[in-house]
Amino acid sequence: MKIVSVLGATGSVGLNTLKLLQNSKQNFKVLALTANSNYKILSKFAKILNAQYAVIADVEYLPKLKVALKDTTIKCLAGQDSIIKVATLKTDIIFSAIVGMAGLKPTIWALRNTKVLAIANKECLVSAGNILISQAKKYNTKILPLDSEHNAIFQVIDNNNVNEIKEVILTASGGPFWQKNKKQFKNISVREALIHPNWKMGKKITVDSSTLMNKFLEVVEAAILFKLDLKKVKILIHPDSLIHGIVNFIDGTSILIASKPDMKIPINYALHWPIRKKNKFSNLDLAKIEKLVFYKPDLEKFPALKLIRYLYNNKFYECKLIVINAANEIAVKNFLEKKLNYLDIVNLIKKTLNNFKHRVVKSLNDVIVIDNEARKVANKLLNNWYN
Ligand code: NAD
Ligand code: MG
């Protein structure tokens, strides 16, 4: 039996994980589930999966969580420190599925006492990738990506010689707007941006997918995870999301990884890694799929992808990544609250980047300080944005 914990258990990735665990109770023992404020779903699944701990970040909800779990032996805890505490308990696999930089400390701490860190949280990988990788090495923990593209590529190049790889290609659905006329972008509403053609996900990543900021983050994520030069990570628009990643090798061979667009497939792979387990997922029926189409992304329509150029000049590379990620988190939050126009999401990121005093990043503390500072710069810019 594998011991498993899920950080961010009530989100889109988290719930997909819990549903798989529910169908595979004989193989897993659930140690801890955590959530931000949704005590109802947290308590429901803590009971179903007979978890040992249910942890809510927002202390205000602790009394309600306790009432919901009063007839059980499940231990109820609250606060960010409690999330970190349960993240360090010994597990075979722990899921990092909190959204944004709120997941950073639990993810870092989780690396100490688990065999596998199954990571969905790309914001942490982008902002503190090198620290995560070096901690994983120190504690002999395997980092296994859940992001569908990276999970696909992991299945091909884990243990492969990086020198044999010419480039990797991440596919992008293109989100809801890739065919929309650029002139209409300025009026895009929150409601429109939250409709994703292929995936049902949390709000933040859904907006990121529409601006293609998600793909920017994923390019960096791939470079970090697979130790590749940024220039070796490419993007293709593939609206059907059936091919998730492509690895082009130096000998002219390419491996394409295909599956239905369902996050349960990469999550299930991670749960059972290093073995593959028979399940109910069907493979693609290629004879029924008339064609697979791919397009080059339009950088003029999606300026988020141009941000990659800020990184080619390697100076303060890590600092720039923290700032871009933090500014994007602030921009998306304000867009969702209808305080920022759609096109200004990337404008705010660029302006924050240009207004920031970049410096060398040496430690986790540097990451946290720079992240906070970047948020302050972005918020200050926002205060005068439409004046
Ligand atoms: P979501 O918004 O649906 O869920 C986020 C989870 O984090 C929830 O359980 C929430 O309670 C918890 N959380 C939020 N703020 C918190 C805080 N301050 N403290 C503690 N917990 C907090 O998000 P999601 O779509 O599941 O995405 C999670 C992560 O996985 C993101 O980084 C996203 O980019 C990545 N990802 C998601 C998908 C997907 O299919 N949803 C695919 C690939 C990668
Ligand atoms: Mg992805």
Side-chain angles (χ1 to χ4, degrees):
M1 269 235 212
K2 280 188 186 176
I3 299 175
V4 54
S5 287
V6 184
L7 311 175
T10 56
S12 157
V13 172
L15 279 174
N16 274 320
T17 310
L18 301 189
K19 285 173 194 158
L20 286 167
L21 289 170
Q22 196 178 352
N23 291 332
S24 198
K25 277 187 176 170
Q26 67 287 5
N27 295 317
F28 297 96
K29 176 155 182 36
V30 177
L31 182 63
L33 302 180
T34 83
N36 190 29
S37 56
N38 195 337
Y39 72 92
K40 284 187 184 159
I41 294 191
L42 180 63
S43 57
K44 177 182 159 193
F45 277 94
K47 269 191 213 163
I48 292 174
L49 297 169
N50 196 21
Q52 279 185 40
Y53 294 89
V55 190
I56 197 100
D58 190 335
V59 289
E60 208 180 292
Y61 293 95
L62 181 62
K64 286 184 169 152
L65 181 67
K66 281 185 171 165
V67 170
L69 292 174
K70 70 176 176 340
D71 297 326
T72 72
T73 55
I74 301 164
K75 294 184 193 78
C76 300
L77 303 174
Q80 296 293 347
D81 288 348
S82 298
I83 294 185
I84 293 171
K85 189 178 151 199
V86 294
T88 56
L89 298 175
K90 196 169 167 37
T91 50
D92 292 295
I93 178 163
I94 184 159
F95 284 76
S96 165
I98 293 174
V99 59
M101 287 293 271
L104 181 62
K105 280 191 186 165
T107 304
I108 294 268
W109 282 90
L111 284 165
R112 291 180 177 232
N113 218 355
T114 189
K115 291 185 189 132
V116 177
L117 176 81
I119 188 161
N121 184 316
K122 59 189 83 185
E123 294 87 355
C124 292
L125 268 170
V126 167
S127 301
N130 288 340
I131 295 170
L132 283 167
I133 301 283
S134 70
Q135 288 291 101
K137 207 169 164 193
K138 182 171 168 188
Y139 294 105
N140 198 17
T141 299
K142 186 79 183 172
I143 296 186
L144 207 165
L146 292 179
D147 213 340
S148 53
E149 301 78 0
H150 306 73
N151 184 274
I153 289 164
F154 174 92
Q155 297 192 30
V156 176
I157 67 177
D158 186 36
N159 298 326
N160 239 304
N161 188 346
V162 173
N163 298 329
E164 294 175 354
I165 296 161
K166 194 187 290 165
E167 60 186 14
V168 304
I169 300 170
L170 309 176
T171 59
S173 69
F177 308 132
W178 74 278
Q179 282 178 309
K180 199 178 176 87
N181 189 319
K182 169 88 180 154
K183 285 188 191 127
Q184 297 167 343
F185 269 47
K186 65 176 189 304
N187 297 322
I188 287 172
S189 68
V190 170
R191 191 186 52 80
E192 288 170 305
L194 286 178
I195 302 167
H196 194 283
N198 303 342
W199 304 92
K200 207 177 162 319
M201 311 180 285
K203 284 185 182 171
K204 197 259 174 186
I205 185 176
T206 306
V207 174
D208 284 350
S209 299
S210 80
T211 57
L212 290 202
M213 196 56 204
N214 183 48
K215 245 3 97 167
F216 166 87
L217 298 172
E218 288 188 356
V219 167
V220 178
E221 187 185 0
I224 289 167
L225 284 167
F226 306 119
K227 300 179 182 63
L228 295 169
D229 189 290
L230 262 186
K231 288 186 175 159
K232 284 190 172 184
V233 187
K234 308 267 168 65
I235 297 166
L236 280 178
I237 305 288
H238 169 50
D240 294 323
S241 301
L242 299 175
I243 305 296
H244 304 289
I246 301 167
V247 182
N248 287 336
F249 291 97
I250 49 173
D251 63 353
T253 306
S254 300
I255 300 185
L256 288 70
I257 305 96
S259 67
K260 289 181 180 164
D262 182 342
M263 278 303 288
K264 286 204 187 74
I265 295 175
I267 294 170
N268 187 64
Y269 174 83
L271 275 170
H272 296 286
W273 183 87
I275 58 162
R276 287 185 193 271
K277 221 164 180 156
K278 192 169 183 280
N279 58 43
K280 62 178 177 44
F281 303 121
S282 56
N283 298 77
L284 292 181
D285 185 346
L286 291 174
K288 276 198 184 147
I289 298 164
E290 284 182 5
K291 55 182 178 183
L292 290 168
V293 290
F294 301 90
Y295 307 93
K296 285 206 160 164
D298 180 343
L299 300 197
E300 296 314 313
K301 242 188 209 183
F302 296 103
L305 296 178
K306 285 194 192 169
L307 292 171
I308 295 167
R309 293 179 189 164
Y310 281 83
L311 307 171
Y312 286 160
N313 161 14
N314 241 328
K315 206 169 179 211
F316 305 133
Y317 172 88
E318 287 165 320
C319 185
K320 287 177 181 167
L321 285 176
I322 302 166
V323 174
I324 291 173
N325 178 67
N328 182 51
E329 285 196 31
I330 297 290
V332 172
K333 179 174 177 285
N334 280 273
F335 170 70
L336 287 170
E337 290 169 0
K338 301 189 178 165
K339 293 178 193 155
L340 190 69
N341 293 337
Y342 189 75
L343 281 176
D344 287 329
I345 294 176
V346 177
N347 289 336
L348 180 68
I349 299 171
K350 279 198 239 164
K351 225 165 174 178
T352 309
L353 204 52
N354 290 333
N355 276 266
F356 202 84
K357 287 198 189 73
H358 295 283
R359 50 189 187 264
V360 175
V361 182
K362 289 195 193 119
S363 64
L364 178 61
N365 194 47
D366 289 349
V367 174
I368 293 166
V369 169
I370 291 168
D371 174 69
N372 281 328
E373 218 174 290
R375 282 164 203 264
K376 277 191 196 137
V377 173
N379 277 318
K380 205 168 159 199
L381 287 166
L382 270 173
N383 284 339
N384 302 309
W385 199 260
Y386 296 115
N387 294 336

